[in-house]
Amino acid sequence: MSQRHGATETASPSAIRPGDPSRLRTVAVVGPPNTGKSTLFNRLTGLRQRVANYPGVTVEKRIGRARLPGKIDVHLIDLPGIYSLEPRSEDERVARDVLTGRMPGVSGPDAVILILDSTNLGRHLGFAAPILSLGIPTLVVLNMADSLRSGGGSLDLDTVAQQIGAPVVLVSARTGEGTEAIREFLVGALAVPAPLELPVIQDVRRCREWSAQIGEAAEYRAPAPPLWTRRLDAVLLHPVAGLLIFAAVVVAVFQTVFSFAIPLMDATDAMVSTSGEWVRALLPDSWFRSLLIEGVWGGVGSVVIFLPQILLLFLFIGVLEDSGYMARAALIADRTMARVGLQGKSFIPLLSAYACAVPAILATRTIESKRDRIATIMIAPLMTCSARLPVYTLVIAAFIPERPVLGGFLGTRAATMLGLYALGFLAAILTAWALKSSVLRGAGAPFSLEIPPYRVPSLQSLALRLLDRATTFLRRAGTIILCTAIVLWFLASLPLRNGEAPPISESVIGTVGRTIEPVIEPLGFDWKIGIGLITSLAAREVIVGTLGTIYGMEADEGSRDLQGALRGDLDLGGAVALLIFFAFAMQCMSTVAVVRRETAGWRWPVAQFAYMTLLAYVSAYLANRIIGP
Amino acid sequence: MERFTLKDLGRYEEGVLESIDLPEHDARRFMELGFLPGSVVSAAGRSPFGDPRVYRVDGSEVALRRETAARLVLRRPGSAGRKDP
Ligand SMILES: Nc1nc2c(ncn2[C@@H]2O[C@H](COP(=O)(O)OP(=O)(O)OP(=O)(O)O)[C@@H](O)[C@H]2O)c(=O)[nH]1
Ligand SMILES: [Mg+2]
């Protein structure tokens, strides 16, 4: 296809000159949701945009560089999915604005790659008309060639190209088949003016008639319906079996994340301890050695050991998202969401909040109603994010004895963890209900959700997800947690007395801790936990590192038995209070920042922070009083 | 001619969409999802709780709540479309 617009035409005056960065052209990747735009973008740029099998994964523009044949670079922009040029939600608005050149800071695209799903061509070609009528050189990419073929579908590409007056290629972004033609097209397209003159069709019905004609002319044969999807849905959405499977999966996830992770964590722990010992043996006894062992190894090391557990959790989330179960989960949850005045679309961001609240808050952009969107933003940080996992694991392992429940299916520890997740979800739902029946009252847009076919998650995509997560986690350990550990170590060693570090309770950090102790004492916490609460304002898992450093310094030669030290400082009431405090408190500055950005003001983040802190304090107080020592 | 709404479409039954009884702005999104007057809609799965239900239209599957399905008016397949006066 693309040869027609090949490099022979680059002689025109607007031809791009290789190696001239001021003339980098931009190419927008557009199309309806879930057609593989981000998959293709990743393939062409080598970047790692999030890809998953449900509509509305990308909610923000993302610019990357792609190298074309002849050493030409272009800026490729990945965009949220759109059905037409009339946006209904924030994410669709971003795509429309970039495409029409209305986005400040981004020049209108010089060319467009329009991605459509070849397995449903009749419907998808209809989406081409409004985009083609923009008059920007456009390559129509029919994606999912692999599925089309395996389902026995076919079409005549040349006829489609002739009929719509634009080059067309059939590719599989996932396998890479046919993607070379896209690069070649771009070289040519950027050099020639828009080739076509289409009447502006914005009427959905006329677009669909137009696409039906083309489909007929091109003898389009749709692939066989996805039988496996139907069979799976018959089971997974079954009133009894579906819910049982759902429950069993949840239990299995918790049991795995808790007990299966333990040997892996022990291994990591052993590595951290051994390397600490080496460092100790290598260096002479000095303040610097103490900083390294107690500060760095004690602080960063205590957090790093949670990496395997976090990765296991992300593996599950990855399978959930890539398989297409996410959309089904939203369907199952819609009834519950309806009771509190929200809809199933709010559930997808809430599910991603199990990983982290920040992307979840961005994902609310797909919610059409402004009020529903704010309500979802307000409750997202109550969902149990992965940063709470180290805190929960540490406290549970220290205080909850392991016994089998549910006939050995689930242990007490995993059950406690499950309870904390349920607690967060319950708080989120009740808060949503309170908001939706007061300040945010009002009906949302009618609920509609496209249900994608199930797809087998690719191992490569899962591996990349884990790699990305591991990098993020370790980067945080190497920055925030490392810095806090070093600063803490110094504050805990000063002021010097006769050239010696003071007892930790009389150091700067001890003084600060004891000043705030009266505030947290009713919750059953002592000053060390108090310092942890302060440092965890940066990010929740920092408390683990902080306690690692403080206890390491206290125990003098830096013994790293964090659990034992914790048991010495907290009674059961205090431990439960700590768990509950972490379930509810909004200790995460990145979340505050993203809420401020997405709600365009301080009002909501401030209200949210105050509400969650109050909720955390009162509930922790009650827990401590009721359970006692 | 018999008219009914999508809400009353039985499992595995089909109907032909006649009209969408929603404000223009909302109706447009349903048309973009494939619910165009004249298209054949069939009932596929449903949530384990019965609502929302999944409908098959124009090659894709879309979940709608009962209250929304009640706004999509159908006629039986095979029966004639709206008569022009
Ligand atoms: N079989 C097959 N699946 C594909 C292909 N390209 C993408 N997919 C899958 O389609 C799903 C959606 O891919 P994405 O790249 O996230 O789609 P998107 O268009 O960016 O989606 P939004 O950002 O939600 O609009 C993922 O599950 C991909 O693995 C392909 O060529 N063949
Ligand atoms: Mg995307």
Side-chain angles (χ1 to χ4, degrees), chain A residues 32-39 50-58 78-81 143-147 171-175 322 455:
Chain A
N34 208 35
T35 47
K37 298 179 292 300
S38 303
T39 311
R50 222 162 70 99
V51 164
N53 189 18
Y54 60 88
V57 179
T58 309
D78 187 23
L79 292 172
N143 193 23
M144 319 255 178
D146 51 327
S147 307
V171 312
S172 168
R174 188 157 157 167
T175 64
D322 286 358
R455 293 189 216 282

PDB file of all heavy atoms in Angstrom, chain A residues 32-39 50-58 78-81 143-147 171-175 322 455, ligand 1:
ATOM      1  N   PRO A  32     -10.508   4.587  17.597  1.00  0.00           N
ATOM      2  CA  PRO A  32     -11.420   4.259  18.686  1.00  0.00           C
ATOM      3  C   PRO A  32     -10.679   3.548  19.823  1.00  0.00           C
ATOM      4  O   PRO A  32      -9.558   3.069  19.617  1.00  0.00           O
ATOM      5  CB  PRO A  32     -12.434   3.314  18.034  1.00  0.00           C
ATOM      6  CG  PRO A  32     -12.149   3.307  16.587  1.00  0.00           C
ATOM      7  CD  PRO A  32     -10.840   3.910  16.343  1.00  0.00           C
ATOM      8  N   PRO A  33     -11.259   3.481  21.012  1.00  0.00           N
ATOM      9  CA  PRO A  33     -10.592   2.859  22.148  1.00  0.00           C
ATOM     10  C   PRO A  33     -10.271   1.381  21.907  1.00  0.00           C
ATOM     11  O   PRO A  33     -10.986   0.699  21.169  1.00  0.00           O
ATOM     12  CB  PRO A  33     -11.617   2.970  23.286  1.00  0.00           C
ATOM     13  CG  PRO A  33     -12.569   4.023  22.863  1.00  0.00           C
ATOM     14  CD  PRO A  33     -12.569   4.024  21.377  1.00  0.00           C
ATOM     15  N   ASN A  34      -9.212   0.920  22.532  1.00  0.00           N
ATOM     16  CA  ASN A  34      -8.848  -0.499  22.574  1.00  0.00           C
ATOM     17  C   ASN A  34      -8.561  -1.122  21.208  1.00  0.00           C
ATOM     18  O   ASN A  34      -8.817  -2.298  21.004  1.00  0.00           O
ATOM     19  CB  ASN A  34      -9.951  -1.296  23.288  1.00  0.00           C
ATOM     20  CG  ASN A  34      -9.389  -2.537  23.968  1.00  0.00           C
ATOM     21  OD1 ASN A  34      -8.271  -2.512  24.479  1.00  0.00           O
ATOM     22  ND2 ASN A  34     -10.144  -3.613  23.951  1.00  0.00           N
ATOM     23  N   THR A  35      -8.026  -0.337  20.280  1.00  0.00           N
ATOM     24  CA  THR A  35      -7.725  -0.899  18.971  1.00  0.00           C
ATOM     25  C   THR A  35      -6.241  -1.200  18.796  1.00  0.00           C
ATOM     26  O   THR A  35      -5.831  -1.682  17.746  1.00  0.00           O
ATOM     27  CB  THR A  35      -8.149   0.063  17.848  1.00  0.00           C
ATOM     28  OG1 THR A  35      -7.668   1.367  18.179  1.00  0.00           O
ATOM     29  CG2 THR A  35      -9.649   0.097  17.713  1.00  0.00           C
ATOM     30  N   GLY A  36      -5.425  -0.876  19.813  1.00  0.00           N
ATOM     31  CA  GLY A  36      -4.001  -1.182  19.726  1.00  0.00           C
ATOM     32  C   GLY A  36      -3.128   0.028  19.404  1.00  0.00           C
ATOM     33  O   GLY A  36      -2.003  -0.134  18.935  1.00  0.00           O
ATOM     34  N   LYS A  37      -3.636   1.227  19.679  1.00  0.00           N
ATOM     35  CA  LYS A  37      -2.846   2.429  19.414  1.00  0.00           C
ATOM     36  C   LYS A  37      -1.566   2.444  20.231  1.00  0.00           C
ATOM     37  O   LYS A  37      -0.482   2.690  19.715  1.00  0.00           O
ATOM     38  CB  LYS A  37      -3.674   3.689  19.754  1.00  0.00           C
ATOM     39  CG  LYS A  37      -4.915   3.833  18.914  1.00  0.00           C
ATOM     40  CD  LYS A  37      -5.705   5.067  19.289  1.00  0.00           C
ATOM     41  CE  LYS A  37      -6.318   4.984  20.668  1.00  0.00           C
ATOM     42  NZ  LYS A  37      -7.248   3.876  20.848  1.00  0.00           N
ATOM     43  N   SER A  38      -1.687   2.174  21.511  1.00  0.00           N
ATOM     44  CA  SER A  38      -0.499   2.222  22.364  1.00  0.00           C
ATOM     45  C   SER A  38       0.454   1.085  22.037  1.00  0.00           C
ATOM     46  O   SER A  38       1.675   1.255  22.120  1.00  0.00           O
ATOM     47  CB  SER A  38      -0.903   2.176  23.836  1.00  0.00           C
ATOM     48  OG  SER A  38      -1.771   3.241  24.123  1.00  0.00           O
ATOM     49  N   THR A  39      -0.087  -0.064  21.652  1.00  0.00           N
ATOM     50  CA  THR A  39       0.776  -1.183  21.268  1.00  0.00           C
ATOM     51  C   THR A  39       1.636  -0.782  20.079  1.00  0.00           C
ATOM     52  O   THR A  39       2.849  -1.009  20.052  1.00  0.00           O
ATOM     53  CB  THR A  39      -0.079  -2.408  20.893  1.00  0.00           C
ATOM     54  OG1 THR A  39      -1.045  -2.630  21.920  1.00  0.00           O
ATOM     55  CG2 THR A  39       0.764  -3.644  20.725  1.00  0.00           C
ATOM     56  N   ARG A  50       1.330   2.243  28.738  1.00  0.00           N
ATOM     57  CA  ARG A  50       0.521   1.178  29.311  1.00  0.00           C
ATOM     58  C   ARG A  50      -0.436   0.620  28.260  1.00  0.00           C
ATOM     59  O   ARG A  50      -1.111   1.365  27.553  1.00  0.00           O
ATOM     60  CB  ARG A  50      -0.280   1.704  30.480  1.00  0.00           C
ATOM     61  CG  ARG A  50      -0.308   0.746  31.659  1.00  0.00           C
ATOM     62  CD  ARG A  50      -0.720   1.488  32.886  1.00  0.00           C
ATOM     63  NE  ARG A  50      -2.119   1.863  32.801  1.00  0.00           N
ATOM     64  CZ  ARG A  50      -3.101   1.198  33.387  1.00  0.00           C
ATOM     65  NH1 ARG A  50      -2.848   0.161  34.108  1.00  0.00           N
ATOM     66  NH2 ARG A  50      -4.340   1.578  33.266  1.00  0.00           N
ATOM     67  N   VAL A  51      -0.485  -0.687  28.173  1.00  0.00           N
ATOM     68  CA  VAL A  51      -1.365  -1.382  27.248  1.00  0.00           C
ATOM     69  C   VAL A  51      -2.207  -2.337  28.065  1.00  0.00           C
ATOM     70  O   VAL A  51      -1.698  -2.998  28.958  1.00  0.00           O
ATOM     71  CB  VAL A  51      -0.516  -2.177  26.229  1.00  0.00           C
ATOM     72  CG1 VAL A  51      -1.350  -3.199  25.509  1.00  0.00           C
ATOM     73  CG2 VAL A  51       0.153  -1.242  25.238  1.00  0.00           C
ATOM     74  N   ALA A  52      -3.496  -2.392  27.820  1.00  0.00           N
ATOM     75  CA  ALA A  52      -4.332  -3.381  28.508  1.00  0.00           C
ATOM     76  C   ALA A  52      -5.582  -3.604  27.689  1.00  0.00           C
ATOM     77  O   ALA A  52      -5.913  -2.794  26.818  1.00  0.00           O
ATOM     78  CB  ALA A  52      -4.691  -2.911  29.909  1.00  0.00           C
ATOM     79  N   ASN A  53      -6.259  -4.724  27.957  1.00  0.00           N
ATOM     80  CA  ASN A  53      -7.412  -5.081  27.140  1.00  0.00           C
ATOM     81  C   ASN A  53      -8.726  -4.568  27.708  1.00  0.00           C
ATOM     82  O   ASN A  53      -9.568  -5.333  28.156  1.00  0.00           O
ATOM     83  CB  ASN A  53      -7.450  -6.601  26.977  1.00  0.00           C
ATOM     84  CG  ASN A  53      -8.487  -7.034  25.978  1.00  0.00           C
ATOM     85  OD1 ASN A  53      -8.952  -6.234  25.167  1.00  0.00           O
ATOM     86  ND2 ASN A  53      -8.891  -8.282  26.045  1.00  0.00           N
ATOM     87  N   TYR A  54      -8.882  -3.260  27.758  1.00  0.00           N
ATOM     88  CA  TYR A  54     -10.184  -2.659  28.008  1.00  0.00           C
ATOM     89  C   TYR A  54     -10.153  -1.246  27.457  1.00  0.00           C
ATOM     90  O   TYR A  54      -9.073  -0.675  27.302  1.00  0.00           O
ATOM     91  CB  TYR A  54     -10.557  -2.678  29.499  1.00  0.00           C
ATOM     92  CG  TYR A  54      -9.622  -1.937  30.425  1.00  0.00           C
ATOM     93  CD1 TYR A  54      -9.797  -0.584  30.689  1.00  0.00           C
ATOM     94  CD2 TYR A  54      -8.553  -2.586  31.040  1.00  0.00           C
ATOM     95  CE1 TYR A  54      -8.941   0.103  31.545  1.00  0.00           C
ATOM     96  CE2 TYR A  54      -7.701  -1.909  31.888  1.00  0.00           C
ATOM     97  CZ  TYR A  54      -7.900  -0.568  32.140  1.00  0.00           C
ATOM     98  OH  TYR A  54      -7.044   0.104  32.963  1.00  0.00           O
ATOM     99  N   PRO A  55     -11.306  -0.680  27.121  1.00  0.00           N
ATOM    100  CA  PRO A  55     -11.281   0.656  26.536  1.00  0.00           C
ATOM    101  C   PRO A  55     -10.945   1.713  27.587  1.00  0.00           C
ATOM    102  O   PRO A  55     -11.355   1.584  28.737  1.00  0.00           O
ATOM    103  CB  PRO A  55     -12.711   0.854  26.006  1.00  0.00           C
ATOM    104  CG  PRO A  55     -13.557  -0.163  26.675  1.00  0.00           C
ATOM    105  CD  PRO A  55     -12.664  -1.255  27.160  1.00  0.00           C
ATOM    106  N   GLY A  56     -10.172   2.716  27.191  1.00  0.00           N
ATOM    107  CA  GLY A  56      -9.887   3.820  28.102  1.00  0.00           C
ATOM    108  C   GLY A  56      -8.622   3.640  28.912  1.00  0.00           C
ATOM    109  O   GLY A  56      -8.524   4.141  30.019  1.00  0.00           O
ATOM    110  N   VAL A  57      -7.627   2.929  28.379  1.00  0.00           N
ATOM    111  CA  VAL A  57      -6.381   2.745  29.121  1.00  0.00           C
ATOM    112  C   VAL A  57      -5.537   4.018  29.048  1.00  0.00           C
ATOM    113  O   VAL A  57      -5.066   4.530  30.057  1.00  0.00           O
ATOM    114  CB  VAL A  57      -5.580   1.557  28.551  1.00  0.00           C
ATOM    115  CG1 VAL A  57      -4.281   1.378  29.303  1.00  0.00           C
ATOM    116  CG2 VAL A  57      -6.413   0.294  28.623  1.00  0.00           C
ATOM    117  N   THR A  58      -5.378   4.540  27.839  1.00  0.00           N
ATOM    118  CA  THR A  58      -4.617   5.779  27.676  1.00  0.00           C
ATOM    119  C   THR A  58      -5.545   6.958  27.916  1.00  0.00           C
ATOM    120  O   THR A  58      -6.612   7.032  27.315  1.00  0.00           O
ATOM    121  CB  THR A  58      -4.039   5.854  26.252  1.00  0.00           C
ATOM    122  OG1 THR A  58      -3.355   4.644  25.980  1.00  0.00           O
ATOM    123  CG2 THR A  58      -3.087   7.016  26.109  1.00  0.00           C
ATOM    124  N   ASP A  78       0.876   9.385  21.077  1.00  0.00           N
ATOM    125  CA  ASP A  78      -0.148   8.401  21.413  1.00  0.00           C
ATOM    126  C   ASP A  78      -1.288   9.144  22.094  1.00  0.00           C
ATOM    127  O   ASP A  78      -1.065  10.014  22.936  1.00  0.00           O
ATOM    128  CB  ASP A  78       0.418   7.349  22.363  1.00  0.00           C
ATOM    129  CG  ASP A  78      -0.573   6.214  22.609  1.00  0.00           C
ATOM    130  OD1 ASP A  78      -1.460   6.010  21.760  1.00  0.00           O
ATOM    131  OD2 ASP A  78      -0.461   5.538  23.654  1.00  0.00           O
ATOM    132  N   LEU A  79      -2.513   8.805  21.710  1.00  0.00           N
ATOM    133  CA  LEU A  79      -3.661   9.554  22.228  1.00  0.00           C
ATOM    134  C   LEU A  79      -4.709   8.607  22.816  1.00  0.00           C
ATOM    135  O   LEU A  79      -4.750   7.427  22.483  1.00  0.00           O
ATOM    136  CB  LEU A  79      -4.301  10.361  21.094  1.00  0.00           C
ATOM    137  CG  LEU A  79      -3.462  11.512  20.541  1.00  0.00           C
ATOM    138  CD1 LEU A  79      -4.108  12.097  19.308  1.00  0.00           C
ATOM    139  CD2 LEU A  79      -3.254  12.579  21.609  1.00  0.00           C
ATOM    140  N   PRO A  80      -5.575   9.156  23.678  1.00  0.00           N
ATOM    141  CA  PRO A  80      -6.712   8.366  24.161  1.00  0.00           C
ATOM    142  C   PRO A  80      -7.644   8.025  22.999  1.00  0.00           C
ATOM    143  O   PRO A  80      -7.650   8.718  21.981  1.00  0.00           O
ATOM    144  CB  PRO A  80      -7.412   9.314  25.127  1.00  0.00           C
ATOM    145  CG  PRO A  80      -6.402  10.350  25.481  1.00  0.00           C
ATOM    146  CD  PRO A  80      -5.502  10.481  24.298  1.00  0.00           C
ATOM    147  N   GLY A  81      -8.411   6.969  23.151  1.00  0.00           N
ATOM    148  CA  GLY A  81      -9.322   6.559  22.087  1.00  0.00           C
ATOM    149  C   GLY A  81     -10.494   7.520  21.932  1.00  0.00           C
ATOM    150  O   GLY A  81     -10.982   8.079  22.897  1.00  0.00           O
ATOM    151  N   ASN A 143      -5.733  -2.954  12.226  1.00  0.00           N
ATOM    152  CA  ASN A 143      -4.928  -3.720  13.179  1.00  0.00           C
ATOM    153  C   ASN A 143      -5.576  -5.070  13.491  1.00  0.00           C
ATOM    154  O   ASN A 143      -6.702  -5.329  13.085  1.00  0.00           O
ATOM    155  CB  ASN A 143      -4.760  -2.891  14.454  1.00  0.00           C
ATOM    156  CG  ASN A 143      -3.694  -3.459  15.366  1.00  0.00           C
ATOM    157  OD1 ASN A 143      -2.803  -4.184  14.926  1.00  0.00           O
ATOM    158  ND2 ASN A 143      -3.790  -3.156  16.641  1.00  0.00           N
ATOM    159  N   MET A 144      -4.874  -5.886  14.219  1.00  0.00           N
ATOM    160  CA  MET A 144      -5.339  -7.203  14.658  1.00  0.00           C
ATOM    161  C   MET A 144      -5.428  -8.171  13.479  1.00  0.00           C
ATOM    162  O   MET A 144      -6.326  -9.020  13.426  1.00  0.00           O
ATOM    163  CB  MET A 144      -6.718  -7.142  15.341  1.00  0.00           C
ATOM    164  CG  MET A 144      -6.888  -5.974  16.257  1.00  0.00           C
ATOM    165  SD  MET A 144      -6.791  -6.473  17.959  1.00  0.00           S
ATOM    166  CE  MET A 144      -6.952  -4.885  18.748  1.00  0.00           C
ATOM    167  N   ALA A 145      -4.485  -8.023  12.531  1.00  0.00           N
ATOM    168  CA  ALA A 145      -4.478  -8.924  11.383  1.00  0.00           C
ATOM    169  C   ALA A 145      -4.431 -10.383  11.824  1.00  0.00           C
ATOM    170  O   ALA A 145      -5.029 -11.256  11.198  1.00  0.00           O
ATOM    171  CB  ALA A 145      -3.273  -8.607  10.498  1.00  0.00           C
ATOM    172  N   ASP A 146      -3.727 -10.646  12.920  1.00  0.00           N
ATOM    173  CA  ASP A 146      -3.617 -12.030  13.408  1.00  0.00           C
ATOM    174  C   ASP A 146      -4.988 -12.598  13.777  1.00  0.00           C
ATOM    175  O   ASP A 146      -5.332 -13.721  13.400  1.00  0.00           O
ATOM    176  CB  ASP A 146      -2.651 -12.104  14.594  1.00  0.00           C
ATOM    177  CG  ASP A 146      -2.978 -11.090  15.677  1.00  0.00           C
ATOM    178  OD1 ASP A 146      -3.463  -9.992  15.338  1.00  0.00           O
ATOM    179  OD2 ASP A 146      -2.769 -11.390  16.865  1.00  0.00           O
ATOM    180  N   SER A 147      -5.793 -11.806  14.483  1.00  0.00           N
ATOM    181  CA  SER A 147      -7.121 -12.297  14.868  1.00  0.00           C
ATOM    182  C   SER A 147      -8.030 -12.435  13.650  1.00  0.00           C
ATOM    183  O   SER A 147      -8.826 -13.365  13.559  1.00  0.00           O
ATOM    184  CB  SER A 147      -7.794 -11.345  15.850  1.00  0.00           C
ATOM    185  OG  SER A 147      -6.961 -11.084  16.927  1.00  0.00           O
ATOM    186  N   VAL A 171      -2.090  -4.686   9.551  1.00  0.00           N
ATOM    187  CA  VAL A 171      -0.949  -5.038  10.400  1.00  0.00           C
ATOM    188  C   VAL A 171      -1.407  -5.775  11.651  1.00  0.00           C
ATOM    189  O   VAL A 171      -2.591  -5.861  11.949  1.00  0.00           O
ATOM    190  CB  VAL A 171      -0.160  -3.790  10.868  1.00  0.00           C
ATOM    191  CG1 VAL A 171       0.143  -2.870   9.719  1.00  0.00           C
ATOM    192  CG2 VAL A 171      -0.911  -3.058  11.955  1.00  0.00           C
ATOM    193  N   SER A 172      -0.432  -6.291  12.356  1.00  0.00           N
ATOM    194  CA  SER A 172      -0.680  -6.750  13.711  1.00  0.00           C
ATOM    195  C   SER A 172       0.341  -6.048  14.598  1.00  0.00           C
ATOM    196  O   SER A 172       1.524  -6.359  14.558  1.00  0.00           O
ATOM    197  CB  SER A 172      -0.523  -8.261  13.803  1.00  0.00           C
ATOM    198  OG  SER A 172      -0.486  -8.631  15.158  1.00  0.00           O
ATOM    199  N   ALA A 173      -0.141  -5.073  15.339  1.00  0.00           N
ATOM    200  CA  ALA A 173       0.773  -4.308  16.188  1.00  0.00           C
ATOM    201  C   ALA A 173       1.402  -5.200  17.232  1.00  0.00           C
ATOM    202  O   ALA A 173       2.504  -4.957  17.705  1.00  0.00           O
ATOM    203  CB  ALA A 173       0.020  -3.160  16.861  1.00  0.00           C
ATOM    204  N   ARG A 174       0.677  -6.247  17.593  1.00  0.00           N
ATOM    205  CA  ARG A 174       1.160  -7.120  18.653  1.00  0.00           C
ATOM    206  C   ARG A 174       2.324  -7.991  18.181  1.00  0.00           C
ATOM    207  O   ARG A 174       3.310  -8.145  18.884  1.00  0.00           O
ATOM    208  CB  ARG A 174       0.008  -7.986  19.127  1.00  0.00           C
ATOM    209  CG  ARG A 174       0.309  -8.779  20.334  1.00  0.00           C
ATOM    210  CD  ARG A 174      -0.988  -9.128  21.021  1.00  0.00           C
ATOM    211  NE  ARG A 174      -0.804 -10.295  21.839  1.00  0.00           N
ATOM    212  CZ  ARG A 174      -1.690 -10.688  22.749  1.00  0.00           C
ATOM    213  NH1 ARG A 174      -2.808 -10.006  22.917  1.00  0.00           N
ATOM    214  NH2 ARG A 174      -1.473 -11.739  23.464  1.00  0.00           N
ATOM    215  N   THR A 175       2.219  -8.525  16.950  1.00  0.00           N
ATOM    216  CA  THR A 175       3.303  -9.378  16.465  1.00  0.00           C
ATOM    217  C   THR A 175       4.317  -8.591  15.652  1.00  0.00           C
ATOM    218  O   THR A 175       5.411  -9.078  15.393  1.00  0.00           O
ATOM    219  CB  THR A 175       2.755 -10.508  15.575  1.00  0.00           C
ATOM    220  OG1 THR A 175       2.172  -9.908  14.416  1.00  0.00           O
ATOM    221  CG2 THR A 175       1.709 -11.327  16.287  1.00  0.00           C
ATOM    222  N   ASP A 322      -4.782  -7.535  31.153  1.00  0.00           N
ATOM    223  CA  ASP A 322      -4.476  -7.944  29.787  1.00  0.00           C
ATOM    224  C   ASP A 322      -5.485  -8.940  29.242  1.00  0.00           C
ATOM    225  O   ASP A 322      -5.667  -9.057  28.037  1.00  0.00           O
ATOM    226  CB  ASP A 322      -3.065  -8.551  29.712  1.00  0.00           C
ATOM    227  CG  ASP A 322      -1.993  -7.481  29.823  1.00  0.00           C
ATOM    228  OD1 ASP A 322      -2.382  -6.302  29.920  1.00  0.00           O
ATOM    229  OD2 ASP A 322      -0.799  -7.810  29.822  1.00  0.00           O
ATOM    230  N   ARG A 455      -8.379 -11.939  25.620  1.00  0.00           N
ATOM    231  CA  ARG A 455      -7.142 -12.197  24.888  1.00  0.00           C
ATOM    232  C   ARG A 455      -6.168 -12.871  25.839  1.00  0.00           C
ATOM    233  O   ARG A 455      -6.191 -12.606  27.034  1.00  0.00           O
ATOM    234  CB  ARG A 455      -6.503 -10.896  24.416  1.00  0.00           C
ATOM    235  CG  ARG A 455      -7.296 -10.161  23.371  1.00  0.00           C
ATOM    236  CD  ARG A 455      -6.459  -8.994  22.821  1.00  0.00           C
ATOM    237  NE  ARG A 455      -7.299  -7.850  22.524  1.00  0.00           N
ATOM    238  CZ  ARG A 455      -8.061  -7.755  21.449  1.00  0.00           C
ATOM    239  NH1 ARG A 455      -8.101  -8.726  20.582  1.00  0.00           N
ATOM    240  NH2 ARG A 455      -8.793  -6.681  21.244  1.00  0.00           N
TER     241      ARG A 455
HETATM  242  N1  LIG C   1      -4.605 -10.036  18.741  1.00  0.00           N
HETATM  243  C1  LIG C   1      -4.110  -8.803  18.743  1.00  0.00           C
HETATM  244  N2  LIG C   1      -4.259  -8.053  19.834  1.00  0.00           N
HETATM  245  C2  LIG C   1      -3.748  -6.803  19.827  1.00  0.00           C
HETATM  246  C3  LIG C   1      -3.073  -6.279  18.708  1.00  0.00           C
HETATM  247  N3  LIG C   1      -2.701  -5.010  19.000  1.00  0.00           N
HETATM  248  C4  LIG C   1      -3.109  -4.758  20.259  1.00  0.00           C
HETATM  249  N4  LIG C   1      -3.742  -5.844  20.759  1.00  0.00           N
HETATM  250  C5  LIG C   1      -4.340  -5.975  22.094  1.00  0.00           C
HETATM  251  O1  LIG C   1      -5.426  -5.075  22.157  1.00  0.00           O
HETATM  252  C6  LIG C   1      -5.553  -4.552  23.476  1.00  0.00           C
HETATM  253  C7  LIG C   1      -5.567  -3.048  23.446  1.00  0.00           C
HETATM  254  O2  LIG C   1      -4.303  -2.553  23.107  1.00  0.00           O
HETATM  255  P1  LIG C   1      -3.864  -1.057  23.433  1.00  0.00           P
HETATM  256  O3  LIG C   1      -2.589  -0.808  22.712  1.00  0.00           O
HETATM  257  O4  LIG C   1      -3.901  -0.808  24.899  1.00  0.00           O
HETATM  258  O5  LIG C   1      -5.047  -0.261  22.746  1.00  0.00           O
HETATM  259  P2  LIG C   1      -5.315   1.316  22.715  1.00  0.00           P
HETATM  260  O6  LIG C   1      -5.900   1.594  21.396  1.00  0.00           O
HETATM  261  O7  LIG C   1      -4.093   2.064  23.099  1.00  0.00           O
HETATM  262  O8  LIG C   1      -6.433   1.437  23.813  1.00  0.00           O
HETATM  263  P3  LIG C   1      -6.917   2.758  24.621  1.00  0.00           P
HETATM  264  O9  LIG C   1      -5.698   3.436  25.141  1.00  0.00           O
HETATM  265  O10 LIG C   1      -7.765   2.181  25.715  1.00  0.00           O
HETATM  266  O11 LIG C   1      -7.700   3.581  23.684  1.00  0.00           O
HETATM  267  C8  LIG C   1      -4.404  -5.142  24.270  1.00  0.00           C
HETATM  268  O12 LIG C   1      -4.884  -6.257  24.972  1.00  0.00           O
HETATM  269  C9  LIG C   1      -3.421  -5.553  23.197  1.00  0.00           C
HETATM  270  O13 LIG C   1      -2.619  -6.621  23.630  1.00  0.00           O
HETATM  271  C10 LIG C   1      -2.928  -7.108  17.559  1.00  0.00           C
HETATM  272  O14 LIG C   1      -2.361  -6.749  16.555  1.00  0.00           O
HETATM  273  N5  LIG C   1      -3.472  -8.363  17.623  1.00  0.00           N
END
